[in-house]
Amino acid sequence: MTSTTRSDCARRDDEDPLAGFRREFLLPEGVVYLDGNSLGALPAAAPARIARTVEQEWGERLIASWNDAGWWDKPRTLGAMLAPLVGAGPHEVVVGDGTSANLFKALVAALRLNPERRVVLGETGNFPTDLYITGGVAEIMGAVERRVDADRRAALAGALAAGDVAVLLLSHVDYRTGALRDMAEITRLAHANGALVVWDLCHSVGALPVELAGCGVDFAVGCTYKYLNAGPGAPAFVFAAERHHGAARQPLTGWHGHARPFDFSAEYAPADGASSFLSGSQPVVAAAALEASLDLWQRVDLHQLREKSLALTELFIESTGSAGLELVTPREGGRRGSQVALRHPQGYAIVQALIARGVVGDFRAPDVLRFGFAPLYLRYTDVFDAASALVEVVRGEEWRDPRFTAAKAVT
Amino acid sequence: MTSTTRSDCARRDDEDPLAGFRREFLLPEGVVYLDGNSLGALPAAAPARIARTVEQEWGERLIASWNDAGWWDKPRTLGAMLAPLVGAGPHEVVVGDGTSANLFKALVAALRLNPERRVVLGETGNFPTDLYITGGVAEIMGAVERRVDADRRAALAGALAAGDVAVLLLSHVDYRTGALRDMAEITRLAHANGALVVWDLCHSVGALPVELAGCGVDFAVGCTYKYLNAGPGAPAFVFAAERHHGAARQPLTGWHGHARPFDFSAEYAPADGASSFLSGSQPVVAAAALEASLDLWQRVDLHQLREKSLALTELFIESTGSAGLELVTPREGGRRGSQVALRHPQGYAIVQALIARGVVGDFRAPDVLRFGFAPLYLRYTDVFDAASALVEVVRGEEWRDPRFTAAKAVT
């Protein structure tokens, strides 16, 4: 049991330099939302921004808005707004397509930059789409897929030392365990062994500072609907390091990635910078929500964000210790993202019982309870209350209620 | 000069069985919008539908909406709503990604189904993204790209007769000329020569009845933001004929295309039906606009639509004859889509002068003026007025005004 009291938490909320951001989100009453690592909350500015895009830009100005409202350039302007959140230059990031498609592009581009080698090294426990897309890329490129436990450094080093790895694909933060990988060190290790790296930032962007350029990363992808709060299925992004611009060639060569799209030329010529990673038209209405969110993110101090994130996860770990669940997430703060994962054979039912109490986390098969901590809209008191609820649900065996054991989750 | 008067047109509007649909769109005042073949008008039901998705489903119900609001299944439910518009079965169409990505998937799947052959036959004048994506596919698959003029039947027959064509990619309606291709006959010709076919429906879906199953088509793709009015950059769709289900394998194997995605299995297993053509999460907010539009489309009689479309384009061709512009679109109704293209060396300036008068068409380099006719919201009187404006702009040389000759179009 932790010695932190609810009053301690209330005091920390009062002193929290990020506390004001909570008012910039529309959150349901009576809910502690610990699932922002799956779908982020709605920015308060988003509905009006979306309505403007729909009713004025689309409804009244119609086709003219491709120019006048900047629709055509949204993948670049939003990419430039997102770039500082991942430590990239404004021309190194474009927003568009989904994470899966962008992974496909980045992996193919990396394989083409390293043509003497045929192995794509992935990680055993990566999110399924990363595994599946890697398989799709390996098949179409005639490459070989290999997997390693990314959290066993010796195994990773050994796999890279084989000398045949063209590209290493890792998640910066593991979607299930919440483990944070050392991007700088692993990227260095990969490069020292002649491999390029693609990082999946889905669970780190908006959760902690990411330094893609500082770590010398080659390519990265990520989604915007988790910690970046851009809404369900919002467009993803792709990062291509400046040193690869011009040389990096992705295969989904649609007209938005053309150097001079309005020439309607019969031959493809890739655009400059990360723009060559664009394919076709992007969902402009979805981009409006992302823009509202990125406006807000321009004001976030990422080091304050990380500090609060660590404090929240630490508080949750400490305060749930007495429930006796196995901690899956690394205990050491420096090795975890903004998420706490716990293991219990009845994890699904426990998550349902918590939801019934207004504490929303999620479940990942076979036995993992996931709790995400979005520092912009969570309070210390929220985390205290959520932890108390979890302890009560487990110790009181509330989860045994058939309401909670019966249904089958989808997400 | 036509003998049709404005009163004749007003009478036809009164008798138009589709006239009521105009009230279901929000159109700007004082504008005759002839660019619905580029970006369709806003359905009146869309803003509220989008607001519900954003404020209630996302804002209040958050992650639960992936189940409760049917977000997870939207690519399939919207695909099933769209299917009758293209003469397909409900399991043959899914909505998601963009046209470019779907073209990539369909072409790769077709090449894999015809592994003895390596040629992708495209058309010289196809929309750039079709050309560029074909190039991207050819490179990654080690295939050979060849192009032919799709409107020269002998050339097309000759190219197919070479006996090495794995897949033929054509646009059902040419984006520039508005020429409608005979899907049944060309598909038969391709099959007789051992080739599969991929049809691009961007300029035919929602403009005329499309009979994919009836024509025995293998694959098709299309966008939803033109005649289907789903908003800028709205998700595209892909059709895979039932006989190819199971065997057709596309390379963007993301987790939404998995047979049992929530098993979080380490190995990919394709879903049944067209669902295997899905990749990652789709923009749910954009899908809300599509749903509002498809609701409306369920009530449209596609034969009435075609009849009105032909009457509108015929009226425009007749009524603009005295302007002396070269008609690019086939004069014979059965060979044109819902668009009229005219050629003039000062096409760009003429289009600008028309826009200044509230008649919105568009320009395609180097010299084509395009006018699209969306039968659901255009009246005969609108077309009469637009044609009169074009005749006056050309005969009075209004386009010479430096306001119209100066600027550079983007779309």
Side-chain angles (χ1 to χ4, degrees):
Chain A
M1 188 70 86
T2 174
S3 54
T4 306
T5 65
R6 199 172 194 285
S7 316
D8 295 334
C9 291
R11 194 167 45 248
R12 294 173 80 173
D13 284 330
D14 289 340
E15 295 162 357
D16 175 10
L18 299 175
F21 283 107
R22 183 177 166 87
R23 287 190 298 273
E24 303 195 38
F25 292 90
L26 298 172
L27 294 158
E29 285 290 316
V31 168
V32 176
Y33 190 60
L34 303 182
D35 216 354
N37 53 327
S38 186
L39 176 68
L42 172 61
R49 186 75 60 100
I50 291 169
R52 186 183 76 192
T53 297
V54 171
E55 292 166 45
Q56 291 171 38
E57 295 174 11
W58 173 17
E60 290 176 22
R61 299 282 301 148
L62 287 155
I63 195 72
S65 290
W66 278 107
N67 291 330
D68 301 348
W71 289 354
W72 183 264
D73 281 321
K74 286 290 176 206
R76 280 170 288 274
T77 53
L78 295 174
M81 289 175 80
L82 199 151
L85 303 180
V86 294
H91 300 294
E92 293 180 311
V93 180
V94 287
V95 164
D97 292 340
T99 305
S100 299
N102 287 333
L103 260 176
F104 187 90
K105 298 177 206 167
L107 288 171
V108 171
L111 277 167
R112 286 175 168 172
L113 286 170
N114 210 352
E116 304 297 311
R117 296 173 168 213
R118 302 319 301 152
V119 173
V120 183
L121 183 61
E123 47 170 314
T124 324
N126 210 344
F127 186 74
T129 226
D130 298 69
L131 302 176
Y132 306 157
I133 288 286
T134 300
V137 167
E139 181 178 6
I140 205 166
M141 293 293 287
V144 175
E145 184 186 4
R146 226 175 265 157
R147 294 178 190 170
V148 67
D149 181 341
D151 295 308
R152 290 183 52 224
R153 189 57 52 89
L156 184 57
L160 287 166
D164 56 2
V165 177
V167 52
L168 171 66
L169 166 63
L170 292 183
S171 279
H172 193 196
V173 171
D174 186 280
Y175 82 103
R176 199 159 35 185
T177 68
L180 170 67
R181 280 68 183 262
D182 187 332
M183 180 180 280
E185 189 190 326
I186 296 175
T187 300
R188 214 162 29 234
L189 184 66
H191 287 172
N193 284 281
L196 297 175
V197 289
V198 177
W199 284 97
D200 180 334
L201 308 178
C202 285
H203 289 270
S204 59
V205 63
L208 45 93
V210 178
E211 295 295 345
L212 293 176
C215 295
V217 169
D218 300 290
F219 300 98
V221 302
C223 77
T224 65
Y225 49 74
K226 298 180 185 290
Y227 294 99
L228 292 188
N229 318 295
F237 65 92
V238 56
F239 160 89
E242 188 171 25
R243 67 182 175 283
H244 295 311
H245 291 177
R249 293 184 311 105
Q250 63 88 9
L252 288 165
T253 47
W255 75 303
H256 281 245
H258 195 281
R260 294 168 303 280
F262 290 98
D263 283 3
F264 292 90
S265 155
E267 305 306 326
Y268 183 72
D272 290 337
S275 288
S276 70
F277 278 73
L278 296 174
S279 298
S281 299
Q282 292 305 315
V284 170
V285 176
L290 175 56
E291 191 168 61
S293 176
L294 288 175
D295 272 349
L296 177 165
W297 276 99
Q298 306 304 301
R299 291 178 275 117
V300 176
D301 179 321
L302 294 178
H303 297 283
Q304 287 179 350
L305 182 88
R306 174 64 170 158
E307 199 176 331
K308 183 175 176 186
S309 158
L310 284 175
L312 294 175
T313 50
E314 187 69 28
L315 174 63
F316 190 76
I317 292 170
E318 281 178 9
S319 309
T320 55
S322 64
L325 277 66
E326 178 191 347
L327 178 66
V328 177
T329 305
R331 187 65 189 84
E332 181 195 335
R335 291 183 49 234
R336 70 172 179 260
S338 199
Q339 166 185 332
V340 175
L342 301 167
R343 182 171 283 138
H344 191 286
Q346 293 298 331
Y348 175 73
I350 295 171
V351 165
Q352 301 311 309
L354 283 170
I355 290 172
R357 279 170 166 256
V359 176
V360 179
D362 67 21
F363 172 73
R364 284 293 175 259
D367 58 1
V368 171
L369 300 83
R370 291 199 316 177
F371 302 97
F373 296 83
L376 295 192
Y377 51 80
L378 284 176
R379 296 169 296 207
Y380 291 91
T381 43
D382 293 328
V383 174
F384 184 92
D385 294 343
S388 305
L390 176 61
V391 170
E392 289 168 25
V393 162
V394 173
R395 296 180 74 174
E397 299 196 347
E398 261 180 50
W399 57 266
R400 288 193 184 275
D401 188 316
R403 280 186 299 155
F404 307 139
T405 53
K408 178 83 188 87
V410 167
T411 56
Chain B
M1 187 70 84
T2 172
S3 55
T4 305
T5 65
R6 201 172 191 285
S7 316
D8 295 334
C9 291
R11 192 167 47 248
R12 293 171 82 172
D13 285 330
D14 288 341
E15 295 163 356
D16 175 10
L18 299 175
F21 283 107
R22 182 175 167 88
R23 287 191 298 274
E24 302 195 38
F25 291 91
L26 298 172
L27 294 158
E29 284 290 315
V31 167
V32 176
Y33 190 60
L34 303 182
D35 215 357
N37 53 326
S38 185
L39 175 69
L42 172 62
R49 186 75 60 100
I50 290 169
R52 186 182 79 192
T53 297
V54 171
E55 291 166 46
Q56 293 171 37
E57 296 174 10
W58 174 15
E60 290 177 22
R61 298 283 300 147
L62 286 155
I63 194 72
S65 290
W66 278 107
N67 291 331
D68 302 348
W71 290 352
W72 182 265
D73 281 321
K74 285 292 176 205
R76 279 170 289 274
T77 52
L78 295 174
M81 290 174 79
L82 199 152
L85 303 181
V86 294
H91 301 292
E92 293 181 308
V93 179
V94 286
V95 164
D97 293 340
T99 306
S100 299
N102 287 332
L103 260 178
F104 187 90
K105 298 177 206 168
L107 287 172
V108 170
L111 277 167
R112 286 175 168 171
L113 285 170
N114 210 352
E116 305 297 311
R117 296 174 170 214
R118 303 318 301 153
V119 173
V120 183
L121 182 62
E123 47 171 313
T124 324
N126 211 343
F127 186 73
T129 224
D130 298 68
L131 302 177
Y132 306 158
I133 288 286
T134 299
V137 167
E139 180 178 7
I140 205 165
M141 293 294 286
V144 175
E145 184 187 3
R146 226 175 266 157
R147 295 179 189 169
V148 68
D149 181 340
D151 294 308
R152 289 184 51 225
R153 189 56 52 86
L156 184 57
L160 287 165
D164 56 2
V165 177
V167 52
L168 170 67
L169 165 63
L170 293 184
S171 280
H172 193 196
V173 171
D174 186 280
Y175 82 104
R176 197 159 35 187
T177 67
L180 169 67
R181 280 70 182 261
D182 187 331
M183 179 180 279
E185 189 190 326
I186 295 175
T187 300
R188 213 162 29 234
L189 183 67
H191 286 173
N193 284 281
L196 297 174
V197 289
V198 178
W199 285 96
D200 180 336
L201 309 178
C202 285
H203 289 269
S204 59
V205 62
L208 45 93
V210 178
E211 294 295 345
L212 292 176
C215 295
V217 169
D218 300 288
F219 300 98
V221 302
C223 77
T224 65
Y225 48 73
K226 298 180 186 290
Y227 294 100
L228 292 188
N229 318 295
F237 65 91
V238 56
F239 159 88
E242 187 170 24
R243 66 182 175 282
H244 295 310
H245 292 178
R249 294 183 310 105
Q250 63 88 9
L252 288 165
T253 48
W255 76 301
H256 281 244
H258 196 281
R260 295 166 304 280
F262 289 97
D263 283 2
F264 292 91
S265 156
E267 306 306 327
Y268 183 73
D272 290 338
S275 288
S276 71
F277 278 74
L278 296 175
S279 298
S281 300
Q282 291 305 315
V284 171
V285 177
L290 175 57
E291 193 168 61
S293 176
L294 289 176
D295 272 350
L296 175 166
W297 275 99
Q298 306 304 303
R299 291 178 274 116
V300 176
D301 178 321
L302 294 178
H303 296 283
Q304 287 179 348
L305 182 87
R306 176 65 171 157
E307 198 175 334
K308 182 174 176 187
S309 158
L310 285 176
L312 294 176
T313 50
E314 187 69 28
L315 174 63
F316 190 77
I317 292 170
E318 281 178 11
S319 309
T320 54
S322 63
L325 277 66
E326 179 191 348
L327 178 67
V328 177
T329 305
R331 188 65 189 82
E332 181 194 335
R335 291 183 51 234
R336 70 172 180 260
S338 199
Q339 165 185 332
V340 175
L342 301 168
R343 182 170 282 139
H344 190 286
Q346 293 299 330
Y348 175 73
I350 295 171
V351 166
Q352 301 311 308
L354 282 170
I355 290 172
R357 279 171 166 256
V359 175
V360 178
D362 67 21
F363 172 73
R364 284 293 175 259
D367 56 2
V368 172
L369 299 85
R370 290 198 318 175
F371 302 96
F373 297 83
L376 295 191
Y377 49 81
L378 283 176
R379 296 170 296 206
Y380 291 92
T381 43
D382 293 327
V383 174
F384 184 91
D385 294 343
S388 305
L390 176 60
V391 170
E392 289 168 25
V393 161
V394 173
R395 298 181 72 174
E397 299 196 349
E398 259 179 52
W399 56 266
R400 288 193 184 275
D401 188 313
R403 282 186 299 155
F404 307 138
T405 53
K408 178 83 188 88
V410 167
T411 58

